[in-house]
Amino acid sequence: MKQPKWSKRSYAAVLGLLPVLLLLTGCWDRKELNDLGIIVGTGLDKTVEENMVEVSVQLVSPKHAGGAPEGPQKSGEKPTLARSARGVTISDALSKMQEKLPRVLFWGHSKVLVIGEELAKGDNLKDCLDFMARHPKTRLNSYIFIKKGKASDLIATIPPWEKDSSEVVRELANSHVSIKMDIKDVLEGLSGDSRAAAIPWVEDAPWLGDSRTEHGFKLKGAAIIKNGRMVKYVDDSLVRGILWLRDEIQHPTITVSPKETKGYISMLQLSARTVLIPEIKNNRWSMTVKVETEDDVLENSSPLSLGTPKYLKLLEEAAEQDIRHRMEGALNVLQKEANADVIGFAEAFNRKYPKLWEASKGRWDDIFPGVQVTIDVKSKVRRPGLSGGPQGRPKEEIEK
């Protein structure tokens, strides 16, 4: 039997496949775990005396990098290590840090970026975000926080419950008790139409209110960033209003005291929706904010029987007033004090009036404080409970 002859085209095809085989060499770019210093959290501070940047990293201890079992640690054994270095830039500081570390810094498991208060108030914040956006190994989905005091204090803390303090603040952000932002969100906000962003604020706090134990952390308010620097701090009550305006509120508990009665009623919000309706008429910029909520009664310490339509209406009106009050307070600070649009008004006007926005966006800092805002809140209590009255009270004390 004759063997088939190879044509010139066959030889050309084989030669063309040879370079492809060179790419199938397996683990030519492998990174051994024993060679990596795994970063789980990064802190950035400004050194006032030297006007330099201090970079602090939280590294997984080599003994725990392989997934050591959870539970009480042996005496002196720490799950994470903290290392710091200073430089004129972040890259300069990291290169100095790398000179003292036997392992290559690896960003693939980074959870959080914590920025110290002093650095956030200066111009260095823009440089820090530039590094995070430009470096090919950093993670833009890492959560970002502003730390009261120094960020290095958080990075160096070993918490009693979690393996590392980076995981603590990350879980706090996921609990939706405050604004949740990652690096990508902040970059988009500062480069968007409004040039502003809101970053959650973290402070030191004792664990479970017990000052005798190791100190922990809590989210308390937010830092308003405008043109790359912190311009205002807002507390928790105003953050709740900002979340309402941004349509990011997540199942909050609302406690109100309806008028014409004593006691309090607490409700769990089942759902909420906020819609921004912009309008430009006769060179007058206005915004209507429509909010609709559905709530579930959790606790009733008032004498009202919520099975009575009149009292149920009082409860809904009290909830609407509470939401409106929080939103108005947030708007007053953002428009009159910070002049920072972190709630998306600019994007709403841009979507509806693209041509007019293009001609006016350069004056947004002058326009935003004067935008007339109308807040329309509709609250509906879906489940007041099978027994509308408060439990444990005599019938004669319940108002029906």
Side-chain angles (χ1 to χ4, degrees):
M1 183 176 179
K2 293 184 178 180
Q3 297 293 329
K5 294 183 178 180
W6 284 43
S7 64
K8 293 182 178 180
R9 181 176 297 179
S10 301
Y11 283 111
V14 172
L15 292 175
L17 290 173
L18 289 178
V20 178
L21 297 177
L22 297 177
L23 301 177
L24 304 177
T25 55
C27 305
W28 62 275
D29 62 342
R30 71 186 185 279
K31 298 291 185 181
E32 296 290 347
L33 185 62
N34 293 338
D35 299 330
L36 301 178
I38 300 175
I39 298 174
V40 292
T42 306
L44 302 176
D45 290 297
K46 178 182 179 181
T47 60
V48 180
E49 307 83 12
E50 304 167 320
N51 195 26
M52 301 177 75
V53 177
E54 182 181 55
V55 181
S56 304
V57 295
Q58 194 171 63
L59 303 167
V60 177
S61 173
K63 295 181 179 180
H64 293 260
E70 298 185 7
Q73 308 298 329
K74 295 180 180 180
S75 177
E77 193 174 291
K78 298 180 179 180
T80 59
L81 308 172
R83 296 293 182 267
S84 300
R86 297 180 178 183
V88 292
T89 64
I90 297 177
S91 300
D92 181 41
L94 287 173
S95 65
K96 293 177 180 177
M97 184 186 300
Q98 187 65 76
E99 292 174 357
K100 302 176 182 180
L101 293 176
R103 300 187 176 206
V104 178
L105 294 173
F106 177 71
W107 299 82
H109 291 278
S110 179
K111 303 172 185 176
V112 301
L113 170 64
V114 184
I115 297 175
E117 181 180 2
E118 289 300 320
L119 190 150
K121 292 179 178 178
D123 292 327
N124 303 75
L125 178 57
K126 291 182 286 187
D127 300 331
C128 298
L129 294 175
D130 177 81
F131 170 83
M132 292 297 168
R134 194 181 299 273
H135 196 286
K137 302 296 184 180
T138 56
R139 296 180 61 188
L140 295 182
N141 61 349
S142 297
Y143 290 162
I144 184 170
F145 303 88
I146 303 295
K147 170 71 166 59
K148 182 179 181 180
K150 296 193 64 176
S152 58
D153 295 338
L154 187 150
I155 296 299
T157 298
I158 305 297
W161 281 7
E162 304 290 348
K163 289 184 177 181
D164 52 77
S165 54
S166 297
E167 180 67 14
V168 171
V169 291
R170 191 183 75 90
E171 291 298 332
L172 286 174
N174 282 330
S175 67
H176 301 288
V177 296
S178 183
I179 290 176
K180 181 174 71 172
M181 299 288 282
D182 59 28
I183 299 174
K184 176 177 64 64
D185 294 331
V186 175
L187 290 171
E188 290 176 350
L190 296 180
S191 61
D193 295 329
S194 62
R195 305 290 193 270
I199 301 178
W201 181 273
V202 63
E203 295 184 359
D204 296 325
W207 291 106
L208 301 178
D210 187 356
S211 59
R212 295 170 299 177
T213 60
E214 301 96 330
H215 77 277
F217 312 99
K218 64 178 178 180
L219 296 185
K220 187 179 180 182
I224 306 301
I225 311 298
K226 180 70 178 294
N227 294 326
R229 68 164 59 189
M230 176 181 167
V231 296
K232 185 72 177 178
Y233 164 76
V234 295
D235 60 21
D236 288 333
S237 63
L238 295 179
V239 166
R240 180 73 68 87
I242 292 173
L243 291 172
W244 281 109
L245 290 163
R246 290 167 59 97
D247 193 25
E248 293 179 356
I249 199 77
Q250 294 284 337
H251 307 297
T253 298
I254 302 173
T255 300
V256 297
S257 179
K259 60 183 180 180
E260 302 177 2
T261 188
K262 296 181 179 179
Y264 294 91
I265 301 176
S266 294
M267 296 174 291
L268 174 66
Q269 182 191 96
L270 302 176
S271 64
R273 185 168 183 260
T274 301
V275 178
L276 303 180
I277 306 175
E279 183 179 19
I280 303 176
K281 189 175 183 180
N282 298 327
N283 201 31
R284 179 175 175 270
W285 296 58
S286 62
M287 181 72 71
T288 300
V289 182
K290 286 187 173 290
V291 180
E292 295 181 356
T293 74
E294 293 185 356
D295 306 289
D296 185 4
V297 174
L298 293 176
E299 184 178 353
N300 180 10
S301 64
S302 76
L304 299 182
S305 174
L306 301 180
T308 304
K310 179 179 71 171
Y311 295 140
L312 191 62
K313 183 65 175 177
L314 285 178
L315 175 59
E316 292 172 345
E317 291 175 351
E320 293 168 359
Q321 183 179 357
D322 180 78
I323 295 170
R324 189 181 302 108
H325 176 73
R326 291 177 183 272
M327 296 172 75
E328 289 173 346
L331 281 169
N332 182 64
V333 170
L334 295 176
Q335 287 186 288
K336 308 305 180 184
E337 299 181 22
N339 191 11
D341 174 21
V342 301
I343 46 184
F345 279 15
E347 288 78 7
F349 280 111
N350 189 5
R351 285 192 298 268
K352 187 172 182 179
Y353 303 99
K355 292 183 179 179
L356 186 55
W357 171 259
E358 190 64 27
S360 306
K361 64 181 182 180
R363 300 185 295 109
W364 183 239
D365 284 348
D366 300 323
I367 296 172
F368 176 64
V371 174
Q372 299 297 316
V373 182
T374 302
I375 300 175
D376 181 15
V377 183
K378 298 295 182 184
S379 180
K380 186 68 175 177
V381 177
R382 292 297 185 189
R383 296 198 291 245
L386 293 178
S387 57
Q391 300 299 298
R393 291 190 181 218
K395 293 182 179 180
E396 58 269 18
E397 293 184 8
I398 300 175
E399 297 181 22
K400 297 184 178 180

